[in-house]
Amino acid sequence: MSELVTGEAVALELRPARLPSRGLATLLDLVVAFTAYVVVSVVVVVTTASLDDAAQIALSIATFLLVLVGGPIAVETFSHGRSLGKLACGLRVVRDDGGPIRFRHALVRGAIGVVEILLTLGVVACIASLVSARGRRLGDVFAGTLVVRERVPAARSGFVPPPPPWLAGRFQGLDLSAVPDGLWLAVRQYLGRMGQLDPQVGWAMAVRLAGELAARTGVPVPQGVPPAAYLAAVVQERQVREARRAFGGGSVAAPVVGAGAGGAATAYGPPASYVPPVVGAGGPSQERAVDRSAGPGTGFVPPA
């Protein structure tokens, strides 16, 4: 199972699609593509009957490339990875980081798919999917994509608590381009499970992840901001940016801050008996006392 963030800023535990579902989706796509190819070919033959043999052969090749190669590429590009077959089977093509695919991804998948699906009747694609740990065919490997299941029961999706409202929009100026996908995944996994961790262990893990994230962005964690709240706010900022790219730069509303499942939204504060290190300009080695007068584990009170 891969925990990713989709281009629509929806947090899901996405599961790589297995070979049977991918095969069925590909079969449906091929039926539609070949039906369109036959119809277009008949129209081309009827309308170009007066041309010479060389021109008819050239038009036949152009029709093949346009319908059976260009068609699937265009569909995956404009649908962000959901062809008719994948839509029917609940599948979707995403990037390795969970974002929506673009033209170059669809182009590589379509070009290599001519060889491993059309010319070899899918034998090469089946072998590659069986060998790959995540069921990827050669086109996915070279394009940096992954076919995942979208229809995952909601009860199995880990709840990621939103940041406190006083942190909304505070990290709009951060440069997130240097943050690797592995660190994003580790942060999301922590936020989804921090309510299940021992308070001191969870706090130490949040401090470590916040330090790594701050080092990648080049900006220290603001003083007075709990590390878990900082992580949640930066993750939300990334989701908003991905959503803007996916929707063409339109305005995207931030998720509503609520109590969450099982009181997860109150898990940003430090444990009552723990004095955490401060991640800031002075480095993680400095320590400060934490005011416990408001009770442990609130973490929503903004700094004075």
Side-chain angles (χ1 to χ4, degrees):
M1 183 181 296
S2 300
E3 194 169 76
L4 305 175
V5 179
T6 69
E8 288 75 13
V10 179
L12 297 174
E13 289 184 349
L14 298 181
R15 297 182 177 183
R18 296 185 180 273
L19 181 58
S21 58
R22 292 193 60 177
L24 179 58
T26 302
L27 181 61
L28 294 176
D29 289 335
L30 289 177
V31 169
V32 175
F34 273 106
T35 301
Y37 174 69
V38 170
V39 173
V40 174
S41 297
V42 171
V43 174
V44 170
V45 170
V46 172
T47 56
T48 61
S50 60
L51 298 179
D52 56 19
D53 293 340
Q56 291 182 355
I57 293 175
L59 286 175
S60 299
I61 297 175
T63 301
F64 174 84
L65 294 176
L66 180 64
V67 178
L68 294 183
V69 180
I73 293 175
V75 170
E76 285 197 349
T77 300
F78 290 109
S79 66
H80 296 295
R82 284 180 291 189
S83 61
L84 292 177
K86 292 182 177 63
L87 185 62
C89 296
L91 307 180
R92 182 172 186 169
V93 183
V94 298
R95 301 195 308 257
D96 283 338
D97 62 351
I101 65 171
R102 306 194 184 279
F103 173 73
R104 61 184 180 88
H105 303 99
L107 178 62
V108 174
R109 282 175 48 83
I112 298 179
V114 173
V115 177
E116 63 174 338
I117 295 178
L118 296 180
L119 299 184
T120 63
L121 300 178
V123 174
V124 175
C126 291
I127 295 176
S129 297
L130 291 174
V131 172
S132 173
R134 296 195 290 178
R136 302 200 298 177
R137 63 178 178 89
L138 296 180
D140 293 315
V141 175
F142 286 100
T145 57
L146 176 68
V147 179
V148 298
R149 293 173 52 190
E150 282 195 307
R151 296 174 185 170
V152 180
R156 298 184 180 183
S157 298
F159 173 79
V160 177
W166 51 271
L167 285 179
R170 185 169 178 177
F171 301 103
Q172 293 180 355
L174 282 184
D175 180 11
L176 305 179
S177 59
V179 182
D181 296 335
L183 182 55
W184 285 125
L185 179 59
V187 171
R188 280 193 42 77
Q189 288 178 337
Y190 164 75
L191 292 176
R193 296 170 175 81
M194 63 180 182
Q196 306 171 7
L197 301 175
D198 177 81
Q200 294 188 10
V201 173
W203 180 269
M205 186 178 299
V207 170
R208 179 179 60 82
L209 291 174
E212 293 181 9
L213 191 57
R216 294 288 185 173
T217 61
V219 178
V221 180
Q223 293 287 340
V225 177
Y230 166 78
L231 295 174
V234 176
V235 167
Q236 184 188 80
E237 175 62 28
R238 187 204 183 203
Q239 292 177 344
V240 172
R241 296 183 188 182
E242 285 288 337
R244 287 172 180 166
R245 284 196 291 267
F247 294 127
S251 62
V252 178
V256 178
V257 177
T266 63
Y268 288 128
S273 59
Y274 185 63
V275 179
V278 176
V279 181
S285 60
Q286 295 180 351
E287 295 187 354
R288 62 178 174 85
V290 178
D291 183 12
R292 304 294 194 271
S293 58
T298 56
F300 284 112
V301 181

